[in-house]
Amino acid sequence: MSEKMWQGRFEQPTDSLVEEFTSSIHFDRRLYRYDIQGSIAHCRMLAECGILTHEEASQIVQGLGEILREIDRGELALDATQEDIHMAVEQRLMQKIGEVGGKLHTARSRNDQIALDTRLFMRDVVLECRRLLLETVRLLTELAEKNLHVIMPGFTHLQHAQPVLLAHHLMAYVEMFLRDEERLAQCYDRINVLPLGSAALAGTTFPIDMEMTARALGFPRITRNSMDAVSDRDYLIEFCAASAMLMMHISRFAEELVLWSTEEFAFVDISDAFCTGSSIMPQKKNPDVPELMRGKTARVYGNLMALLTLVKSLPLTYNRDLQEDKEPAFDTADTVRLTLAVLNKMLPELRFQGDRMEAAAAKGYALATEVADYLVRKGVPFRKAHHVVGQLVHHCEKLGKDFTDCTVEELKKFHKALDADLFGVLTLQSAVQRRMSHGGTSPQRVREAIGAVRIETTQRLERVNADTPRLS
C-alpha cells in the first residue's frame, strides 16, 4: 500500500477496503489528457509569475509530456492505490524528476483541479455533440428534400388528422434538433470558464495570473468566486438536462420508425444494417437500433436525476460526494455521442414507402377540415360548418363511403352551400398545397423552410468552429 501525498497528518494507513471505496481512478483516468494539459498551463504560469524557476518549470513540463505519452501507450499502470488521476500523475512525476515535481501543486488544490479537468472534458464533448447534431439536421433536411412530394397522414392522438407532406413531418424534427443544438451552445458558454486558481475554496496567497492560465487553455473568462468555482456542478447538470431533452427527441423519432416499420403501417424500410433478427423466428427483422435509442433515453434521464439528487443538499464548498458526479456525466456523454453517430449513419439508409403513405393519408376522412373550410369560405360560421361536416362524416361512415362518393343532391341535404365545386378541393394535393400559412405544410413553405435551415446550419457550424478553443 503506497503512502498518500496527504498522509502527513495521519498516524494509521488507509484501510484497504476504504481505498477501494474512495478510489475514483477507474473512471477519472479518462481525464488524464485534460489533467496534464491543465498542469502544464498551471506550471508555465507559476514560472512566469516567479513562483517557480523557469528551470523547474521546464523539468516539470518535460516530465508531464513523458507521462502523457506513457499513458497514451498504455505503459503506466493506473490502479486503486493511486486514488485518483491527479495523484497518479503527480506521483509518477515525482518518480521521474524527484522532489521538484512536488512544486507543481503550488497555488492549487484537487478541488479546482478536478473542476478544470471536467470543464475541459465537457467542452470537447459539447463541441462534438453540436457537430453531430448539425450533421443530423443536414441529413434530415436532405431526406425532407428527397421526399418533398410524398403525402402522409398527419396524426393527433395517433389518429388520422390531416394530410401533410412527409418532408414537413421530418422538418419538425429538424426544429427540435436545432433547439437542442442551441441549448448545448448556451451550455458551452457556461462550461467555458476557468476555475483553476480558486485552490481549495478561498483562493491562494501566491501572486498567480489566472488570466494567463485562461489564455493558455482557451478560456474566455475566469470564475468570479472561488467558493462557487470548486463546488459548482451546474455545467454537468445542465449538460445532462440538455442531453435528456435531446434523447427525448431522438426517442420520439425512433418510436415513429418502430411504428412505421410494422406491417400495419409499412411506411418505412430500415436498412438491414440497422436491424437484427430473431433467434427462433427466421422471418423477423427487428428495428433494434431505434428501440435501443428509446431505451438509452432512460439511462440519460436517470443520470440527470442522479446529479440533481447528488448536489441538492451539499453545503458549500467541496464535499467528497462530488466524486460521484463524473460517472453519470461520462455515461451521458458516451451515450449521446454514440446515439447521434448511429442515428447519422442510419438516416441515409431509410427508405420511405410513398405510395403506402399516400394511400393511408386518404383514409379516415382526413379531408373533413377541407369541407369545413369550404363552407366557411361560403359564409358559414366555422362552428356551424364543423357541425355540418361532423354529420356528413357520420352519414358516410354508416354507408361505408367517402365524401367523393356522394352526389351533389346528397351533400345538399346537410347544407345548401355544398355544391359540385367542393370536389375540386377534396384531393390530398390540394389539401397540402393550400396550407400556405407560415410554417405550414404546402410544398412552397416546406421548400422555404429547407432553404432557411441550410443557411442556419452553415452559420451554426461556423459558430462551433469559432467556439473551438485556440490553445497557446
Side-chain angles (χ1 to χ4, degrees):
M1 189 180 301
S2 61
E3 184 173 298
K4 300 294 184 284
M5 297 287 190
W6 41 261
Q7 195 74 43
R9 179 252 183 269
F10 292 80
E11 291 185 359
Q12 292 178 288
T14 310
D15 185 279
S16 60
L17 193 58
V18 171
E19 285 207 341
E20 181 182 349
F21 184 68
T22 59
S23 174
S24 62
I25 191 71
H26 58 286
F27 56 81
D28 68 22
R29 59 183 295 162
R30 70 188 295 174
L31 296 174
Y32 76 90
R33 184 172 297 278
Y34 303 103
D35 194 74
I36 292 173
Q37 180 185 7
S39 290
I40 289 173
H42 180 69
C43 179
R44 287 174 172 159
M45 179 275 294
L46 292 178
E48 288 300 315
C49 293
I51 300 167
L52 296 183
T53 68
H54 286 285
E55 182 181 349
E56 289 170 333
S58 178
Q59 284 183 266
I60 291 171
V61 169
Q62 182 178 340
L64 289 170
E66 291 173 3
I67 294 169
L68 177 62
R69 289 186 289 275
E70 286 174 357
I71 300 176
D72 282 343
R73 295 192 296 261
E75 296 171 358
L76 180 59
L78 300 173
D79 56 55
T81 62
Q82 294 161 317
E83 193 173 357
D84 58 39
I85 188 60
H86 322 300
M87 294 293 96
V89 171
E90 187 173 338
Q91 185 179 62
R92 179 58 179 150
L93 180 64
M94 293 178 71
Q95 288 172 355
K96 292 179 75 69
I97 66 173
E99 285 194 356
V100 69
K103 294 189 174 186
L104 172 62
H105 209 55
T106 305
R108 74 174 183 184
S109 161
R110 281 187 295 178
N111 295 356
D112 60 345
Q113 192 177 354
I114 189 57
L116 171 67
D117 292 1
T118 51
R119 284 179 183 272
L120 288 169
F121 170 79
M122 290 308 308
R123 203 166 63 171
D124 282 356
V125 167
V126 171
L127 286 171
E128 184 181 355
C129 287
R130 289 169 64 190
R131 287 191 174 94
L132 286 166
L133 261 174
L134 292 175
E135 178 65 3
T136 304
V137 166
R138 185 187 71 80
L139 291 168
L140 276 171
T141 304
E142 283 188 356
L143 267 181
E145 187 170 47
K146 184 177 178 181
N147 293 277
L148 190 57
H149 299 294
V150 174
I151 298 176
M152 64 172 288
F155 297 90
T156 62
H157 308 276
L158 209 56
Q159 306 295 314
H160 286 215
Q162 293 177 292
V164 296
L165 293 178
L166 169 60
H168 193 52
H169 191 109
L170 294 173
M171 292 301 289
Y173 283 101
V174 164
E175 294 298 323
M176 297 180 210
F177 291 135
L178 285 173
R179 290 196 297 273
D180 291 323
E181 194 278 330
E182 183 178 22
R183 270 185 285 272
L184 286 173
Q186 293 167 348
C187 177
Y188 181 86
D189 289 340
R190 284 182 281 277
I191 290 170
N192 204 18
V193 185
L194 176 81
L196 193 66
S198 300
L201 77 159
T204 178
T205 60
F206 292 94
I208 61 171
D209 185 345
M210 291 177 68
E211 294 285 359
M212 177 184 172
T213 309
R215 288 192 298 273
L217 295 171
F219 285 103
R221 294 182 292 149
I222 62 175
T223 51
R224 293 188 299 194
N225 184 289
S226 60
M227 296 179 74
D228 177 57
V230 300
S231 62
D232 170 35
R233 294 300 183 269
D234 289 3
Y235 58 99
L236 296 181
I237 296 171
E238 186 176 0
F239 169 72
C240 287
S243 296
M245 293 189 73
L246 164 57
M247 289 298 294
M248 177 263 289
H249 293 146
I250 292 175
S251 184
R252 292 182 72 181
F253 183 65
E255 169 68 7
E256 294 202 315
L257 292 180
V258 171
L259 284 173
W260 291 0
S261 64
T262 62
E263 291 290 340
E264 288 75 14
F265 276 83
F267 283 2
V268 68
D269 181 56
I270 303 172
S271 167
D272 289 357
F274 299 92
C275 296
T276 64
S278 164
S279 63
I280 189 173
M281 296 169 283
Q283 83 282 8
K284 293 297 295 296
K285 179 179 175 181
N286 299 324
D288 283 21
V289 168
E291 288 174 345
L292 274 173
M293 289 174 174
R294 286 185 317 196
K296 288 179 182 294
T297 300
R299 69 190 295 157
V300 172
Y301 287 2
N303 290 335
L304 171 60
M305 292 311 301
L307 283 176
L308 286 168
T309 307
L310 175 71
V311 177
K312 74 176 183 67
S313 298
L314 293 186
L316 291 177
T317 57
Y318 183 85
N319 297 269
R320 191 62 179 267
D321 311 50
L322 291 175
Q323 178 175 300
E324 296 298 309
D325 64 354
K326 282 167 280 300
E327 287 182 288
F330 291 167
D331 183 69
T332 294
D334 293 343
T335 301
V336 170
R337 287 184 291 185
L338 182 57
T339 301
L340 282 170
V342 173
L343 176 62
N344 289 348
K345 291 198 75 173
M346 182 178 67
L347 284 173
E349 302 295 321
L350 296 177
R351 298 292 178 265
F352 294 100
Q353 307 303 319
D355 292 344
R356 175 82 179 190
M357 286 182 151
E358 189 160 330
K363 296 179 180 179
Y365 302 99
L367 297 176
T369 307
E370 306 309 304
V371 184
D373 288 350
Y374 168 90
L375 287 172
V376 169
R377 284 191 293 273
K378 295 261 182 155
V380 180
F382 179 78
R383 283 298 162 210
K384 175 65 176 176
H386 187 286
H387 182 72
V388 167
V389 179
Q391 290 180 318
L392 178 58
V393 169
H394 182 64
H395 168 77
C396 290
E397 278 183 328
K398 284 198 301 183
L399 299 180
K401 61 182 184 180
D402 201 6
F403 300 140
T404 53
D405 299 323
C406 296
T407 64
V408 173
E409 293 74 19
E410 194 176 1
L411 292 173
K412 284 186 175 295
K413 292 178 183 178
F414 295 91
H415 199 284
K416 62 183 180 181
L418 293 171
D419 214 331
D421 59 343
L422 170 66
F423 298 115
V425 301
L426 290 182
T427 68
L428 297 176
Q429 290 73 20
S430 173
V432 297
Q433 286 171 358
R434 289 166 47 225
R435 275 170 168 73
M436 287 286 292
S437 57
H438 182 76
T441 193
S442 73
Q444 179 179 334
R445 290 289 179 252
V446 176
R447 282 193 200 94
E448 290 170 358
I450 289 171
V453 165
R454 283 211 168 104
I455 293 170
E456 185 174 347
T457 303
T458 300
Q459 292 171 341
R460 290 191 185 213
L461 188 56
E462 288 172 355
R463 184 185 169 187
V464 172
N465 292 333
D467 283 346
T468 302
R470 272 63 173 175
L471 307 183
S472 62

